Amino acid sequence: MSHSIPTSPSPNDASIIPIAWPFGSKIPIITHNPSGRFRVLVTKPLVGDTWLNLLTTVYHCRVDQVTSTTALTAAQLKSLFLPKVDAVVGQLTEPWTPDLFAALAAAGGVAYSNVAVGYDNVDVAGATRVGIAVGNTPGVLTEATAEMAVSLVMACARRVVEADAFMRQGKYELWLPNLFIGKLLSGKTVGVIGAGRIGSTAAIMLARGFRMDVMYYDKYPSKKLEDTIRSFSEHLVANGEKGVSITRVGTPEEILEQCDVVSLHPNLDKSTHHLINKDRLALMKRDAILVNCARGPIVNEVDLVQHCRENPEFFAGLDVFEDEPLMKPGLKDLDNVVIVPHIASATFWTRSGMSILAAANVGAILHKDPVWASPDVSKFLDVPAESIPRAAPSIVNRKELNLNTTPTSKL
């Protein structure tokens, strides 16, 4: 039997297996390589086919892939562990609590990987207590996510979504000098809160592309970001143009008060939950642009709705939401908010790369292969499954589980 999923057809035998959910419903699953040595549960359709070839042909796994696009509950996940499962490739939309990891361990599981760089849905300590390795997929989302942040900045600054709707509704009758007046980015200041790989890349894109000055707030200085912006500024000056500046500040408030564009890229934890709230929004310029491509709960969405209602020249661009996939009441009705459904990493190269890294994480752990000792995961990408290193690209609790790393000579 066949089933339509967004991945290339597998050369392995496959069949649809309906598994009973509680309350009489069913979970649609497609099974690849049913005679595989290990059973790997994949909780959502993934992208490309290299990840599947890696698990089935290199790591000799049976892969049971859920084809439903609805979020799985903890009870539904537990039902899928039975009678035995060795590893799970899961998603940010799932609640990976200590109780769920205990159930996974009881079913024989030793590895779990998020198909994401973030893992705020995962209780890593709970997994570690029952000996389960937790993987994530860093190193492939940087450019795609930064590009989305820049795209949202542009869409807000030039009112692209409003203008598109205006055209589709047949309202365009005459060119007017004051039609959809937006904001010029050139020469303005972008502030980045969280200057990791994604935040730094977004800042560099905006500085190079629009000659924007850069301010950033981070617990740690980013020498690479500072050196890159200063080098670009020197190039501009050497060619007779005005240079750009970069400044590290000590508080988020300084970013909010001084910047024309603010792009959010911090990790989500107790210190950043509702980092952007009513009081901090009030610090921002009346016509500022706020972009969030990090995690939804960083922004108090109720406060944002109220601020945007009261300040029509203020714009926000959101890729993530506080109660995702739901939005707070009123958000979708605001013309000065651009909303997209968590697609910052949604390029084929990025999402297929994430799928490969997640598969490599669990496959390597099952075969007791080492953990990759470098943040550079390029050797896992753009190659056939048979050429991918026999290592787990990223295990966040490697040290706690005393897992071996790849010898430097093999990196």
Side-chain angles (χ1 to χ4, degrees):
M1 299 175 67
S2 62
H3 190 87
S4 177
I5 56 175
T7 181
S8 302
S10 169
N12 304 290
D13 293 334
S15 60
I16 299 293
I17 304 175
I19 295 182
W21 272 355
F23 315 115
S25 58
K26 294 180 179 180
I27 303 175
I29 288 182
I30 186 168
T31 297
H32 303 271
N33 193 30
S35 61
R37 177 182 171 190
F38 301 99
R39 180 180 177 236
V40 175
L41 172 66
V42 178
T43 66
K44 282 290 175 288
L46 300 183
V47 178
D49 57 10
T50 303
W51 71 271
L52 183 58
N53 290 333
L54 178 65
L55 284 175
T56 55
T57 65
V58 176
Y59 283 120
H60 308 294
C61 296
R62 167 188 171 129
V63 175
D64 286 343
Q65 183 181 11
V66 176
T67 59
S68 167
T69 56
T70 58
L72 298 176
T73 66
Q76 291 161 350
L77 286 164
K78 288 178 182 179
S79 75
L80 293 171
F81 297 164
L82 302 176
K84 182 182 186 301
V85 67
D86 298 287
V88 177
V89 174
Q91 303 291 330
L92 279 171
T93 54
E94 298 153 3
W96 285 91
T97 61
D99 176 66
L100 192 55
F101 278 118
L104 177 57
V110 297
Y112 168 83
S113 185
N114 252 10
V115 187
V117 63
Y119 46 92
D120 46 270
N121 64 310
V122 176
D123 191 307
V124 178
T128 303
R129 282 195 294 271
V130 293
I132 293 177
V134 174
N136 67 335
T137 62
V140 291
L141 294 87
T142 302
E143 286 76 17
T145 306
E147 286 178 3
M148 177 56 73
V150 174
S151 298
L152 289 172
V153 170
M154 284 296 298
C156 290
R158 300 308 301 270
R159 303 176 64 180
V160 172
V161 175
E162 289 177 89
D164 179 86
F166 182 83
M167 292 294 294
R168 294 178 189 276
Q169 292 164 12
K171 294 181 178 180
Y172 183 43
E173 298 177 353
L174 180 69
W175 181 90
L176 296 170
N178 62 348
L179 187 63
F180 290 109
I181 297 296
K183 303 175 180 70
L184 186 70
L185 296 174
S186 180
K188 299 298 195 300
T189 301
V190 57
V192 172
I193 297 178
R197 283 181 287 193
I198 295 171
S200 293
T201 300
I204 290 167
M205 288 177 177
L206 288 164
R208 286 175 171 170
F210 301 101
R211 308 294 198 267
M212 298 185 78
D213 293 324
V214 175
M215 298 178 69
Y216 77 97
Y217 168 76
D218 198 283
K219 293 179 181 179
Y220 307 99
S222 176
K223 185 177 185 299
K224 183 177 180 181
L225 172 60
E226 293 181 10
D227 289 348
T228 299
I229 298 299
R230 289 183 181 128
S231 176
F232 177 63
S233 182
E234 291 169 1
H235 169 76
L236 291 175
V237 172
N239 285 275
E241 299 183 56
K242 183 179 181 294
V244 295
S245 66
I246 180 162
T247 306
R248 181 184 176 222
V249 299
T251 65
E253 284 77 8
E254 292 173 81
I255 295 287
L256 299 172
E257 290 171 342
Q258 299 180 49
C259 294
D260 304 286
V261 174
V262 175
S263 194
L264 303 174
H265 301 281
N267 294 325
L268 175 62
D269 55 30
K270 291 181 181 179
S271 70
T272 60
H273 183 268
H274 283 186
L275 176 71
I276 304 301
N277 56 25
K278 179 180 179 180
D279 293 338
R280 288 197 169 110
L281 286 166
L283 298 175
M284 299 183 71
K285 294 183 178 182
R286 174 179 50 81
D287 62 346
I289 295 171
L290 176 69
V291 166
N292 187 10
C293 284
R295 288 288 181 264
I298 291 169
V299 176
N300 184 319
E301 214 165 281
V302 170
D303 289 354
L304 179 65
V305 169
Q306 186 65 27
H307 187 80
C308 289
R309 280 177 178 159
E310 295 174 354
N311 298 273
E313 293 185 60
F314 182 96
F315 273 75
L318 306 177
D319 177 61
V320 289
F321 305 90
E322 188 171 357
D323 298 322
E324 197 167 312
L326 303 177
M327 293 183 286
K328 295 297 186 184
L331 187 68
K332 67 180 179 63
D333 302 317
L334 294 167
D335 289 336
N336 54 339
V337 178
V338 177
I339 48 178
V340 294
H342 203 152
I343 57 170
S345 64
T347 69
F348 182 84
W349 186 87
T350 300
R351 291 280 173 88
S352 61
M354 293 164 65
S355 302
I356 292 165
L357 296 179
N361 279 332
V362 300
I365 294 298
L366 291 176
H367 281 259
K368 303 187 186 309
D369 291 333
V371 177
W372 194 243
S374 169
D376 180 2
V377 295
S378 58
K379 290 187 177 181
F380 291 81
L381 310 171
D382 301 318
V383 295
E386 294 77 11
S387 301
I388 290 174
R390 291 289 297 259
S394 180
I395 301 297
V396 300
N397 56 347
R398 173 188 64 79
K399 292 181 180 179
E400 292 80 357
L401 294 177
N402 297 313
L403 300 177
N404 294 326
T405 58
T406 309
T408 305
S409 60
K410 293 185 178 182
L411 294 178

